[in-house]
Amino acid sequence: MFEPFWKEVGDDATVKISGWEKMSYTSSCDDDICWFLEPEFANEVARLHRIVNNAATDGRYIIVGVGSTQMIHATLHALASIELRHPVNVVSAAPYYSMYPGIVDLMKSGLYHWAGDAAAFRGDDNFIELVCSPNNPDGTIRHAILGKEAGKRVHDMAYYWPHYSPMRGPADHDIMLFTLSKATGHAGTRIGWALVKNKEVAREMAKFITLNTIGVSKDSQVRAATILKVISDGYEFPKPNGAPQFFHFGQHKLAYRWRRLRRAVQESGQFILPRFSPEFCEFFKEYAETYPGFAWLRCEDQKINDCEDFFKRINVLTRSGKHFGFDE
């Protein structure tokens, strides 16, 4: 979806790494928490968040991981490790990200396990609530639904960027997860990061990544830093020839796709899509629509019992609601 933008950017986003560079495990940073964090990547992460103003970075530790999936594993391990009772229940309000159950239970850890829909959770204060906001799959802004005086919360903010959702000011949570794949489209680079308040939690997260993959690819971090720098430069130092700016490009692309999808759904009369009211975006400085990366489609036709199967027969790939804590 974003490839045309990066083609137009051209050499500004090109990275050259010589055969003798970046050979060691360790980075050149003096960070005693995340020893494998490349300084230029950390600087560009903080810079972009400051420009977009979507997340507080002051007083936070930046932890880098192999995509958001490893960041979730590292976060759950860190939070559960400091608990006295195990396994810790991991929950998220339905419809939740379809990969959460598999990610949580993959390790078959004795420290934590998947406990389903947060709205249906009837346990005690021994829980971790995953809050995806804007939410995958339905695009809504989410808040924790379990009591703040108990348990722990992890905010998965992969889609809290201006091309998907109006910016409402900087999020300020204990643990916030982001990923390059959703921010810029570079899924293959496999880079995610966390902004963490608590030093010991950050240390445990870095320890997990150390034992799991002995750090994170320097090459990927250098490329990610270059990509983020191009986006930030486009807004801090706009070119006089009206060169495209990434978030404007992304919003335009998503708006076009959503208009086409809504028109098709309306003409079919068989399905319902979420509706979003325009909100003032502090980044674009105007009222903006919400354009989620996914469409949460509900079938209204009583003759269709399995929405995924219906679309598969007409060569449209979807994922069934049953994977998100709903029905088919």
Side-chain angles (χ1 to χ4, degrees):
M1 180 168 62
F2 301 143
E3 190 176 278
F5 175 87
W6 295 108
K7 283 185 175 180
E8 186 170 349
V9 166
D11 290 343
D12 288 348
T14 299
V15 176
K16 180 181 178 181
I17 301 175
S18 299
W20 55 267
E21 294 182 285
K22 309 294 180 185
M23 292 177 65
S24 170
Y25 282 126
T26 58
S27 76
S28 57
C29 77
D30 56 1
D31 193 319
D32 66 336
I33 300 294
C34 192
W35 58 268
F36 45 85
L37 176 65
E38 286 291 304
E40 58 188 296
F41 174 70
N43 291 338
E44 292 301 333
V45 163
R47 180 189 177 203
L48 186 60
H49 281 304
R50 185 173 64 254
I51 290 171
V52 177
N53 199 29
N54 64 340
T57 57
D58 290 344
R60 282 357 188 246
Y61 299 93
I62 297 176
I63 307 297
V64 63
V66 184
S68 61
T69 301
Q70 188 183 48
M71 295 311 311
I72 294 172
H73 281 304
T75 304
L76 294 177
H77 176 84
L79 292 178
S81 294
I82 60 179
E83 289 293 328
L84 297 178
R85 292 176 294 146
H86 300 116
V88 178
N89 297 295
V90 181
V91 297
S92 186
Y96 44 70
Y97 175 38
S98 62
M99 296 289 283
Y100 281 160
I103 290 173
V104 173
D105 284 340
L106 175 67
M107 300 289 193
K108 301 189 185 303
S109 172
L111 293 176
Y112 54 83
H113 70 154
W114 177 249
D117 184 2
F121 181 67
R122 296 294 180 267
D124 55 17
D125 61 355
N126 191 38
F127 67 85
I128 299 171
E129 183 178 356
L130 299 175
V131 183
C132 187
S133 183
N135 189 43
N136 176 356
D138 63 3
T140 58
I141 295 299
R142 287 287 189 87
H143 304 281
I145 66 171
L146 298 180
K148 290 186 177 181
E149 67 280 357
K152 293 180 172 62
R153 277 143 291 279
V154 178
H155 285 78
D156 183 347
M157 312 204 67
Y159 293 94
Y160 192 47
W161 296 102
H163 44 341
Y164 299 114
S165 180
M167 295 293 94
R168 302 160 180 84
D172 184 11
H173 305 295
D174 290 346
I175 302 174
M176 297 179 285
L177 306 183
F178 295 88
T179 172
L180 195 71
S181 62
K182 307 307 183 296
T184 74
H186 292 82
T189 305
R190 305 310 307 132
I191 286 290
W193 67 91
L195 303 176
V196 186
K197 271 186 182 180
N198 184 280
K199 185 175 184 178
E200 290 310 309
V201 171
R203 191 187 302 278
E204 283 297 318
M205 291 173 68
K207 178 181 177 182
F208 175 91
I209 295 169
T210 297
L211 295 174
N212 188 228
T213 51
I214 317 182
V216 177
S217 166
K218 292 184 177 184
D219 297 358
S220 290
Q221 291 187 65
V222 169
R223 186 185 190 203
T226 301
I227 294 298
L228 297 182
K229 183 178 185 300
V230 167
I231 296 176
S232 294
D233 284 352
Y235 289 99
E236 281 200 323
F237 313 109
K239 295 182 179 179
N241 62 354
Q245 295 170 302
F246 178 73
F247 293 122
H248 286 76
F249 174 92
Q251 187 196 52
H252 178 79
K253 176 77 74 172
L254 284 158
Y256 170 71
R257 292 187 172 198
W258 269 96
R259 281 196 300 270
R260 293 182 66 197
L261 179 62
R262 287 198 185 280
R263 188 162 57 245
V265 167
Q266 185 176 5
E267 290 177 0
S268 78
Q270 295 175 295
F271 308 98
I272 291 179
L273 285 168
R275 287 286 176 182
F276 305 96
S277 299
E279 294 184 55
F280 188 79
C281 176
E282 295 190 12
F283 179 76
F284 290 130
K285 303 302 181 185
E286 63 184 16
Y287 279 87
E289 298 278 354
T290 294
Y291 302 114
F294 296 96
W296 183 236
L297 194 73
R298 189 172 79 222
C299 179
E300 294 291 289
D301 191 330
Q302 299 299 318
K303 298 177 182 178
I304 303 175
N305 297 316
D306 187 327
C307 207
E308 181 182 29
D309 180 66
F310 169 81
F311 279 109
K312 186 176 181 180
R313 284 187 272 114
I314 57 173
N315 297 319
V316 178
L317 295 179
T318 65
R319 176 162 281 203
S320 173
K322 65 184 180 183
H323 300 293
F324 301 85
F326 267 58
D327 61 29
E328 298 175 340

